[in-house]
Amino acid sequence: MDVVEIPTNKPVQRKDLEDAVYMTKKKRKFNAVVEAVKEAHAKQQPVLVGTITIETSELLSRMLRREGIQ
């Protein structure tokens, strides 16, 4: 099947950043997620955080509550 790219009528505004690799999940990765959410929350931007497991969602929820973000 042939695939054809159709250009949009507006330029893309999204900025693709480099991947971030963390040595440990909880200490570095989740703290980075919390900091990113805090920055977006301060700008009143909506944030959707997707996780693979319920346990991870609950952990991030607790971390965000400790930071005063609900």
Side-chain angles (χ1 to χ4, degrees):
M1 177 183 286
D2 294 333
V3 176
V4 179
E5 182 177 335
I6 301 174
T8 61
N9 61 354
K10 294 183 181 180
V12 176
Q13 294 184 2
R14 182 181 67 207
K15 296 178 186 175
D16 289 330
L17 304 175
E18 294 293 321
D19 292 338
V21 179
Y22 300 96
M23 298 303 286
T24 61
K25 267 190 181 180
K26 186 173 181 182
K27 288 195 176 201
R28 299 234 171 101
K29 182 178 181 179
F30 293 152
N31 286 337
V33 170
V34 169
E35 288 302 314
V37 170
K38 281 173 52 177
E39 289 174 14
H41 184 73
K43 297 177 190 175
Q44 296 183 341
Q45 293 176 325
V47 179
L48 175 63
V49 179
T51 63
I52 295 176
T53 66
I54 294 171
E55 291 81 15
T56 304
S57 295
E58 291 172 347
L59 172 66
L60 282 171
S61 176
R62 285 191 304 272
M63 293 174 74
L64 289 166
R65 279 196 198 117
R66 274 184 272 175
E67 296 292 329
I69 300 172
Q70 297 182 13

